[in-house]
Amino acid sequence: MALLTKGAIMTAFEEMLSEMTFDKITVSALVKRSGVSSNTFYYNYRDKFELLNEWFGTKLDIIRNGDDPTTWQIAIKKFFHMCRDNPRLIHHVIHSVSREQLEIYIFEITDRVFLSNVRKKVAGRDIPDKRVRQIARFCTYAFIGFFLDYIWGDMEDDIDERVDSLSRIFDDFIASAISH
């Protein structure tokens, strides 16, 4: 029953995100649309920010599901396609959460993937973990800029071409950073 309740809340939340910015969504409107009581909502979530975090988490799970987490290109292409398929929802989220929150969410998507990718590439080499983390972190922050540019450009670029091009840049950078 709890999963059905959370599912109803999550479905209503995503519908509302497609219609309005996050800051316009109220718990009272959300519970009315989802058909649950406010007590039920607060039993499952502290507030709408916790719901937003869980919503992002479910999206991350969809992106990562079934793929090798070290194949970041597949996950990123899935993410970009999800953005392109839901432009109003993405714009409503982007324009209603702080830049810091947005960067944290994007960081969550990419940091583990890049760290895993860099670790895979340095396997068997005597490279300190601190250096591996620095390389991965650089890629993560470069990707955040890449993603924001994609969103600000109205998501019109060819996703596969853009991610493949970015992949070559990252692969070259990682190879160079490892060798120094």
Side-chain angles (χ1 to χ4, degrees), residues 92-127:
H92 285 157
V93 170
I94 287 174
H95 295 298
S96 60
V97 296
S98 71
R99 184 178 180 107
E100 180 182 1
Q101 281 178 303
L102 180 62
E103 288 174 354
I104 289 169
Y105 293 132
I106 298 169
F107 188 86
E108 293 275 325
I109 293 170
T110 57
D111 191 51
R112 280 183 253 143
V113 174
F114 281 117
L115 185 57
S116 179
N117 186 36
V118 173
R119 282 188 172 141
K120 184 177 171 184
K121 291 179 186 263
V122 301
R125 295 176 179 230
D126 187 26
I127 298 177

Side-chain angles (χ1 to χ4, degrees), residues 5 9 27 31 36-46:
T5 300
I9 294 169
V27 172
V31 298
V36 302
S37 71
S38 58
N39 286 342
T40 300
F41 176 86
Y42 288 113
Y43 176 79
N44 288 286
Y45 303 101
R46 276 190 314 266

Side-chain angles (χ1 to χ4, degrees), residues 72-91:
W72 71 269
Q73 296 91 336
I74 293 170
I76 298 306
K77 285 178 183 180
K78 265 187 184 181
F79 177 66
F80 276 36
H81 281 286
M82 187 183 300
C83 292
R84 182 175 278 168
D85 293 345
N86 300 285
R88 290 187 64 184
L89 186 145
I90 296 301
H91 283 288

Side-chain angles (χ1 to χ4, degrees), residues 5-65:
T5 300
K6 287 184 101 170
I9 294 169
M10 194 65 67
T11 298
F13 181 67
E14 189 163 329
E15 288 171 359
M16 292 175 81
L17 276 175
S18 293
E19 299 165 9
M20 63 190 78
T21 59
F22 174 74
D23 58 331
K24 300 276 191 250
I25 296 173
T26 64
V27 172
S28 61
L30 184 59
V31 298
K32 184 176 181 180
R33 181 172 297 195
S34 64
V36 302
S37 71
S38 58
N39 286 342
T40 300
F41 176 86
Y42 288 113
Y43 176 79
N44 288 286
Y45 303 101
R46 276 190 314 266
D47 53 30
K48 69 180 189 173
F49 295 96
E50 185 176 359
L51 175 59
L52 179 65
N53 286 335
E54 187 170 312
W55 179 80
F56 270 112
T58 62
K59 296 305 174 190
L60 294 176
D61 289 344
I62 291 167
I63 291 166
R64 291 188 296 243
N65 189 23

